[in-house]
Amino acid sequence: MPGWLTDPTLYVVLVAVVVLVAAGLLVYRRLRRRHAFASPLERATFSTLHTVSLAAPALREGLSESSAQFAVPYLRTLLDTEALSMTAADCVPLAWDGDAEHHNLDVRFYAEKVMKTGRQQMASRKDIECGSDRCPVKGIVVVPLEVDGNVVGTLAAVSAETPGPVLLRASAEVARYVSSQLELADLDDSRDRLNRAEVRALRAQISPHFIYNALNTVASFIRTDPERARELLMEFADFTRYSFRQAGEYTTLAEELKNIDRYLMLERARFGNRLAVKVQVAPEVLSVVLPFLALQPLVENAVRHGLAGKVEGGTVTLTAEDSASECLITVEDNGVGMDPQALREDNRDAHLSGAHVGLGNVDDRMRSAFGPDYGLVVETERGAGTKISLRVPKFRAGVRV
């Protein structure tokens, strides 16, 4: 089964897109034929789609007071009720739109029942207390909002008519729509947390062996060349400061290259003439945004696995080229190379063995940021060196420093 079918985010988005496109095509075809909305049904369909689209952005931020206050007026328009309220898990209204706010306690009472049972609750005029003879409210319908099978809040429709099958069904459908948006927000948040966790895992993998080697290199210069030792120590400090920064999951190519230069300065001090470096970067791609620590692990892989095992050493070549809407980046070495099948197995079990975890981590984060077509391409063979290529879009919505 294709991987995208098992991704809940893609599945929910795909279903929503298919529904909206189908509705849009229907409206478009009728417009082309009649040049206007010719029936009340068509006008109602367009109005509903428009109202839903207005509520969506706030709901994608998750369930909060600000998102509820923004979305509830639009949702009330869909249901055409006297008032509409949204509550969180504590049953305290996050937002109330409309009149009859004196029924707050009634809404909270039935919201608590929904939170306990997970089921829709309905109250008619005789079930609710009201001290005003002029109050138009004749019933309340409270439905659960669910994320991943858990009730996280409620939606309460306060009606000027006795609740019937139409209001019950409509309230349930609106709640289902709100729940789908909240679930997408939760998935977005989970993806962000996962990305941050992957960066932390990458830092943990990089730091032990590199810090040990770098400090040993600095120590070797303290007596023979103190000024060189001081310079290397400053570069090491700048390298670690950048690598362990807390300023987001993306950076620019220019910043990433600066950090790679620090890393290579430390490694050249250790390897001496055994390590040569060639860098060729088109100036117009320096501002391209890519995942934080996306390139340094690739360069480290070239040094650590490609050249460290080669007695005479070798050359690491890094290029970044401008290619229309993309930046093409390659990291290549003429080292010992790897067996392609062994590399695939190492990457598959990297979370257990620690082997080449940097490559798998970068590949996952590139695909997460830009899509499944933007993973690493690795060309290698024993004795033939290794070439790693990646493509970075110059612009992608949501990807910014």
Side-chain angles (χ1 to χ4, degrees):
M1 178 182 291
W4 62 269
L5 286 178
T6 63
D7 188 325
T9 305
L10 290 177
Y11 181 77
V12 173
V13 171
L14 180 61
V15 171
V17 168
V18 169
V19 171
L20 290 174
V21 169
L25 286 175
L26 176 61
V27 171
Y28 175 74
R29 288 178 60 186
R30 293 186 176 181
L31 272 174
R32 286 286 301 272
R33 186 169 65 247
R34 305 178 188 179
H35 305 289
F37 290 106
S39 73
L41 177 59
E42 288 174 338
R43 288 194 293 272
T45 299
F46 177 80
S47 177
T48 299
L49 291 173
H50 180 64
T51 303
V52 164
S53 69
L54 293 174
L59 296 172
R60 282 296 300 271
E61 296 176 4
L63 186 60
S64 66
E65 185 174 355
S66 60
S67 65
Q69 288 178 352
F70 185 91
V72 161
Y74 296 113
L75 301 177
R76 181 183 167 219
T77 300
L78 292 176
L79 292 174
D80 191 25
T81 55
E82 185 71 17
L84 191 70
S85 174
M86 190 180 293
T87 75
D90 59 5
C91 301
V92 175
L94 296 172
W96 184 288
D97 186 67
D99 298 324
E101 199 165 353
H102 56 281
H103 282 289
N104 247 327
L105 292 178
D106 293 312
V107 167
R108 183 166 183 171
F109 175 78
Y110 288 101
E112 289 174 350
K113 284 192 172 183
V114 170
M115 293 301 301
K116 290 179 181 178
T117 64
R119 296 179 180 178
Q120 184 181 64
Q121 298 291 320
M122 181 187 73
S124 61
R125 176 76 178 190
K126 61 182 179 61
D127 299 315
I128 56 179
E129 297 181 3
C130 185
S132 174
D133 295 333
R134 296 182 178 181
C135 179
V137 175
K138 294 184 178 179
I140 298 174
V141 174
V142 184
V143 289
L145 300 176
E146 300 182 23
V147 173
D148 197 24
N150 298 313
V151 180
V152 298
T154 68
L155 189 70
V158 181
S159 176
E161 299 178 0
T162 301
V166 174
L167 181 59
L168 291 172
R169 179 65 183 273
S171 299
E173 292 299 327
V174 171
R176 187 174 291 113
Y177 165 74
V178 173
S179 296
S180 70
Q181 298 302 306
L182 296 178
E183 194 157 86
L184 285 172
D186 187 66
L187 289 170
D188 287 341
D189 186 56
S190 297
R191 182 177 61 186
D192 290 342
R193 290 197 302 270
L194 179 60
N195 286 338
R196 290 193 293 270
E198 287 176 339
V199 171
R200 288 195 297 271
L202 185 57
R203 287 166 172 161
Q205 187 269 340
I206 290 172
S207 56
H209 69 268
F210 176 70
I211 289 176
Y212 176 80
N213 291 333
L215 291 178
N216 270 346
T217 301
V218 172
S220 70
F221 282 98
I222 289 178
R223 289 188 177 181
T224 60
D225 191 346
E227 187 60 31
R228 177 67 168 155
R230 179 181 180 281
E231 180 186 7
L232 291 174
L233 195 58
M234 294 299 293
E235 293 297 332
F236 176 74
D238 288 340
F239 173 84
T240 53
R241 185 180 298 111
Y242 176 84
S243 299
F244 289 89
R245 72 174 196 175
Q246 301 297 322
E249 60 183 285
Y250 297 106
T251 189
T252 62
L253 177 59
E255 289 298 315
E256 196 77 354
L257 290 174
K258 285 181 184 178
N259 199 53
I260 289 172
D261 186 57
R262 300 180 189 113
Y263 167 78
L264 289 172
M265 180 177 289
L266 291 161
E267 291 292 50
R268 280 196 296 265
R270 182 161 71 100
F271 285 98
N273 294 331
R274 293 176 55 216
L275 174 59
V277 178
K278 295 180 180 179
V279 178
Q280 186 174 357
V281 178
E284 55 267 31
V285 299
L286 288 173
S287 61
V288 166
V289 177
L290 69 167
F292 175 64
L293 286 181
L295 296 186
Q296 190 274 340
L298 309 186
V299 175
E300 182 174 357
N301 184 78
V303 174
R304 182 183 178 192
H305 296 287
L307 303 181
K310 192 175 181 180
V311 177
E312 67 275 26
T315 302
V316 174
T317 303
L318 190 156
T319 65
E321 304 174 4
D322 184 22
S323 178
S325 62
E326 296 178 336
C327 171
L328 303 183
I329 301 174
T330 62
V331 177
E332 187 172 5
D333 69 77
N334 60 353
V336 298
M338 295 173 279
D339 176 64
Q341 181 60 34
L343 177 62
R344 282 192 289 270
E345 292 175 357
D346 282 346
N347 279 331
R348 185 167 56 245
D349 299 328
H351 62 294
L352 299 175
S353 66
H356 303 291
V357 68
L359 298 188
N361 185 294
V362 173
D363 182 71
D364 288 343
R365 290 191 293 128
M366 285 292 295
R367 295 175 189 273
S368 175
F370 303 118
D373 296 330
Y374 286 91
L376 302 183
V377 176
V378 181
E379 302 171 61
T380 188
E381 191 61 63
R382 288 195 180 278
T386 301
K387 180 180 180 180
I388 302 175
S389 306
L390 62 155
R391 297 178 297 121
V392 182
K394 290 182 179 177
F395 173 79
R396 183 56 56 93
V399 177
R400 59 184 180 275
V401 178

